[in-house]
Amino acid sequence: EPASSGRGRSPVPPRLNPAYGCFLGLDFEALRARAALTDFSGKELYRKEISFRPNLSRETVLQKITALAKSIAAKTQHPLLSLGVAAPGQVDALAGKIVHYDLLPDFDEVPLKERFESVFPNTPVFIEDNIRSLTHAELLRGSGRGCRNFLCLAVRSGVGLGIVIDGKLYNGTQSMSGEVGYLVSPETGSGANGERRTLTDLVSATGFLKETRDSLQSLRQTQSRRKLLEKGESLSLADIVDAAE
């Protein structure tokens, strides 16, 4: 009989099994925190964001972000394979801690990895600078895909810069690259006490709040402005938006 000309079964391309497990990512800064849960294929399953009032204590912030992570992790029955925390300020990723963060009280030498491991004892925990995390995400799946060299400037509670050189994330000496929020130039003027104002003071969300409080004190008083002034240091971006609407 003539030999069969068939070539066997059609090839089936390999696919990731979404139900194999989940990944949890958390990003926080001075004014808010966000968390997202994805399946094994990278599809987002849940997302939640919470706001912070200004000047929360260190312990309150840590309680809020760990509670946020727990609430998101509880949304799935699949194994939690890893937890990544994008942290603000000067971050020692290898030690898993925040070295210093200007925009939250007493945020020096914060053992973030240790804190999350106590809440998720069976889950690998990874800590990284939040702007470098954002930049890496842009490199892998965002506007930086296919780019070998680019900068990612983020204006949030503070200001930070992510740097990609030759397709790789640049960390710098002691992982301190991109700390542009501390930059001062002659054009920035001086603060209320004669100190130089930084880029963070001028364009960040926390700088905007401070500038708004200072401006409200010098403007003609109206009922809505008085209400904002009465909030003092607890004034939030949401309060300003509500008043403007």
Side-chain angles (χ1 to χ4, degrees):
E1 295 182 3
S4 172
S5 61
R7 297 184 179 180
R9 297 176 59 185
S10 299
V12 178
R15 292 184 301 172
L16 295 174
N17 176 11
Y20 183 76
C22 292
F23 303 102
L24 197 160
L26 185 140
D27 167 34
F28 78 101
E29 50 186 296
L31 299 177
R32 59 187 171 184
R34 314 168 186 83
L37 186 74
T38 72
D39 64 20
F40 193 69
S41 70
K43 179 183 177 182
E44 185 177 297
L45 302 176
Y46 301 98
R47 174 186 289 264
K48 185 177 181 181
E49 179 174 321
I50 60 174
S51 298
F52 297 152
R53 286 286 178 180
N55 299 313
L56 292 178
S57 71
R58 167 172 164 163
E59 183 58 28
T60 299
V61 171
L62 293 175
Q63 288 177 359
K64 283 181 175 291
I65 60 176
T66 52
L68 174 61
K70 285 180 66 177
S71 70
I72 294 294
K75 296 289 187 180
T76 180
Q77 299 299 316
H78 299 304
L80 185 60
L81 301 177
S82 68
L83 165 61
V85 181
Q90 298 169 359
V91 177
D92 185 337
L94 294 178
K97 67 180 182 179
I98 296 175
V99 178
H100 174 71
Y101 184 42
D102 269 341
L103 303 182
L104 284 173
D106 191 29
F107 250 68
D108 296 316
E109 300 298 323
V110 183
L112 211 55
K113 178 179 173 71
E114 180 181 306
R115 183 63 174 253
F116 274 91
E117 285 178 338
S118 70
V119 179
F120 297 89
N122 301 314
T123 302
V125 176
F126 301 92
I127 310 296
E128 181 53 278
D129 172 88
N130 56 5
I131 306 305
R132 285 198 292 272
S133 298
L134 170 62
T135 305
H136 198 220
E138 292 292 346
L139 174 64
L140 294 179
R141 306 189 67 169
S143 300
R145 291 182 70 177
C147 296
R148 301 292 296 173
N149 305 283
F150 69 90
L151 303 176
C152 179
L153 180 66
V155 180
R156 309 177 356 145
S157 295
V159 182
L161 182 71
I163 305 170
V164 171
I165 301 175
D166 196 24
K168 298 178 181 179
L169 194 63
Y170 177 70
N171 291 325
T173 303
Q174 296 181 336
S175 296
M176 294 299 177
S177 69
E179 297 293 338
V180 297
Y182 296 102
L183 289 178
V184 178
S185 72
E187 288 73 25
T188 62
S190 299
N193 298 319
E195 75 277 8
R196 292 287 187 180
R197 294 169 69 188
T198 66
L199 193 60
T200 297
D201 295 326
L202 289 173
V203 303
S204 71
T206 51
F208 174 71
L209 283 174
K210 184 178 183 303
E211 194 73 26
T212 300
R213 285 194 296 267
D214 293 344
S215 297
L216 285 171
Q217 292 174 352
S218 61
L219 293 172
R220 181 177 61 85
Q221 293 301 296
T222 64
Q223 183 178 359
S224 60
R225 289 171 182 168
R226 279 194 296 272
K227 287 182 178 179
L228 292 176
L229 275 172
E230 288 170 359
K231 293 181 179 294
E233 292 296 319
S234 67
L235 181 69
S236 69
L237 290 175
D239 295 329
I240 297 172
V241 172
D242 290 342
E245 291 177 344

